[in-house]
Amino acid sequence: MLSQLRNVAKFPSSVNTLFVNCMHPKYSHTDGFLYTCFCYVNSHLFSKSCLCSVEPDNLTDVLEFLLLGFSDDPEWQPLTFSLFLSMYVVTMLGNLLIILAVSSDSHLHTPMYVFLSILSMADIGFTSTTVPKVILDIQTHNRVISHAGCLIQLSFFYLFGCLDSVLLTMMAYDRFVAICYPLYYPVIVNPRLCRLLILVSFLISLLDSQLQCLVVSQLTFCTNVEIPHFFCDPPQLLKLSCNDTSTNKIFMYFIGAIFGGIPVSGILFSYTRILSSVLRVPSTGGKYKAFSTCGSHLSVVCLFYGTGLGVYLGSTVSHSPRKDAVASMMYAVVAPMLNPFIYSLRNRDIKRALQRLLNRTA
């Protein structure tokens, strides 16, 4: 059978070809025919292709993905369920407290804290894109997600993730103006500019999510595939696609470089100017006071981009999908959970607002 396929496909004899039946027998199409496809891997060129008896485009309408998660061991399921549920509850409560504290205290109705409340909303959306699905899958023992559901999850994941990134850049700009141009701060960072920046942040994030979703929607799959992750991770989808993904990868990395590189450059520029301005302050107390106003924001920036960069570098070095899933959990779940603690512990204004809020409700 394999030799016949090799001859039909006219593979070079020097290529080590591995044929795998990609179609599970229980899957068939509405026209009553069972389609079978075979994937081959060129071990010398590290390339993958797919032989299907029909065009792959005709298969995406009935496609479903199976999210493998972290472990198939039933003994680990209660621990995974408890871990994700507890982290999700802590994330929701922490970020909701930040939003309530900012909205209920008139002293915090400033651009910095308005950006912080929007960031907390984005963190809630970012976590809610993936974690409830994981909790539901473990509870129902059903890890299937449809092709449309995967695209929707991917779209919201990039929407809130990019919104986090852009908002952190806006907050860095706010600190830059407050420290470097304190006398002009109320004039430059006015309420109208804040509303404009928030609107621009949302539009940029929406554009990024739709472009990323467009790239993934162009991928074709020969059959229902298994994703070794707890959500629809684009790099994993690129690996599982049957068609040539070189153009998709280039376009995806290009989008990531623009929508990820520009915010990082803005943050680095802002803090470079802040550092040079603070170093010119003669007194040690003045330097500490200036740095303390942006300490919480800088900690959140390091956590968000540090975990994200760690996942990216880890995926290029490590070839273990399970390790990639654990690393992705750090920036998709852990980082949004820790942000409220960082701001509440390192920011006196937030501490006082939370205390007043709790005393009022007690």
Side-chain angles (χ1 to χ4, degrees):
M1 176 65 178
L2 296 183
S3 60
Q4 292 176 354
L5 282 171
R6 185 186 297 273
N7 294 331
V8 170
K10 296 181 180 180
F11 292 119
S13 58
S14 60
V15 175
N16 293 328
T17 307
L18 173 64
F19 289 93
V20 180
N21 190 345
C22 301
M23 178 62 73
H24 194 279
K26 71 176 182 179
Y27 296 116
S28 61
H29 294 271
T30 55
D31 55 6
F33 292 96
L34 181 66
Y35 297 96
T36 304
C37 60
F38 296 89
C39 296
Y40 67 90
V41 180
N42 187 328
S43 60
H44 298 293
L45 301 177
F46 299 99
S47 61
K48 181 186 70 176
S49 299
C50 196
L51 296 176
C52 299
S53 57
V54 293
E55 290 296 322
D57 292 337
N58 297 333
L59 300 174
T60 55
D61 293 335
V62 295
L63 188 67
E64 289 182 338
F65 298 103
L66 182 64
L67 301 174
L68 298 181
F70 295 95
S71 175
D72 295 327
D73 191 351
E75 296 181 357
W76 285 95
Q77 298 306 310
L79 178 61
T80 306
F81 177 82
S82 303
L83 180 64
F84 272 89
L85 181 61
S86 59
M87 287 193 297
Y88 185 62
V89 171
V90 170
T91 302
M92 293 291 290
L93 291 177
N95 284 286
L96 284 175
L97 281 175
I98 293 292
I99 295 171
L100 291 174
V102 172
S103 60
S104 63
D105 196 328
S106 58
H107 297 89
L108 298 183
H109 292 174
T110 59
M112 181 65 178
Y113 294 110
V114 171
F115 288 139
L116 176 59
S117 62
I118 303 297
L119 180 68
S120 295
M121 293 179 188
D123 282 338
I124 290 174
F126 192 46
T127 307
S128 299
T129 304
T130 57
V131 177
K133 172 64 177 171
V134 177
I135 296 173
L136 183 64
D137 289 350
I138 297 174
Q139 188 68 20
T140 60
H141 304 286
N142 181 17
R143 298 180 179 181
V144 174
I145 184 171
S146 65
H147 183 259
C150 186
L151 292 178
I152 292 172
Q153 184 187 64
L154 181 69
S155 178
F156 280 105
F157 183 80
Y158 274 106
L159 173 65
F160 292 115
C162 184
L163 187 58
D164 264 359
S165 179
V166 179
L167 284 172
L168 289 174
T169 308
M170 302 301 179
M171 295 169 76
Y173 172 74
D174 175 86
R175 293 298 86 199
F176 158 66
V177 177
I179 294 175
C180 299
Y181 304 100
L183 298 179
Y184 297 98
Y185 178 77
V187 179
I188 298 175
V189 190
N190 53 66
R192 182 180 178 182
L193 178 64
C194 288
R195 290 192 293 268
L196 179 62
L197 291 177
I198 292 172
L199 178 61
V200 170
S201 300
F202 180 77
L203 292 177
I204 291 174
S205 304
L206 184 62
L207 177 62
D208 177 41
S209 69
Q210 294 308 303
L211 288 176
Q212 296 282 3
C213 191
L214 178 63
V215 173
V216 176
S217 65
Q218 300 302 311
L219 300 177
T220 53
F221 303 89
C222 290
T223 180
N224 295 26
V225 293
E226 297 180 344
I227 303 177
H229 219 290
F230 65 94
F231 67 95
C232 290
D233 188 36
Q236 297 294 335
L237 294 175
L238 288 173
K239 293 178 182 178
L240 296 170
S241 176
C242 280
N243 57 332
D244 183 18
T245 60
S246 56
T247 304
N248 302 76
K249 287 180 180 179
I250 294 173
F251 189 53
M252 185 172 287
Y253 287 136
F254 178 73
I255 297 172
I258 293 178
F259 290 96
I262 292 177
V264 171
S265 301
I267 293 173
L268 291 176
F269 171 79
S270 297
Y271 274 103
T272 301
R273 295 293 302 274
I274 289 172
L275 182 62
S276 63
S277 179
V278 170
L279 291 178
R280 290 197 296 266
V281 177
S283 64
T284 306
K287 292 179 181 178
Y288 175 79
K289 185 177 180 180
F291 273 124
S292 64
T293 60
C294 54
S296 300
H297 175 260
L298 190 59
S299 301
V300 172
V301 168
C302 293
L303 178 65
F304 181 79
Y305 286 105
T307 53
L309 185 63
V311 170
Y312 174 76
L313 294 178
S315 62
T316 57
V317 176
S318 174
H319 298 286
S320 173
R322 301 289 183 182
K323 292 182 180 178
D324 293 343
V326 173
S328 298
M329 187 181 72
M330 293 301 296
Y331 78 89
V333 183
V334 177
M337 180 185 67
L338 294 180
N339 286 350
F341 292 98
I342 294 173
Y343 273 102
S344 60
L345 294 176
R346 296 182 59 89
N347 192 295
R348 294 180 181 178
D349 294 332
I350 293 292
K351 279 184 182 179
R352 293 168 185 165
L354 287 173
Q355 288 175 355
R356 285 193 288 267
L357 179 64
L358 294 175
N359 292 334
R360 194 180 306 168
T361 55

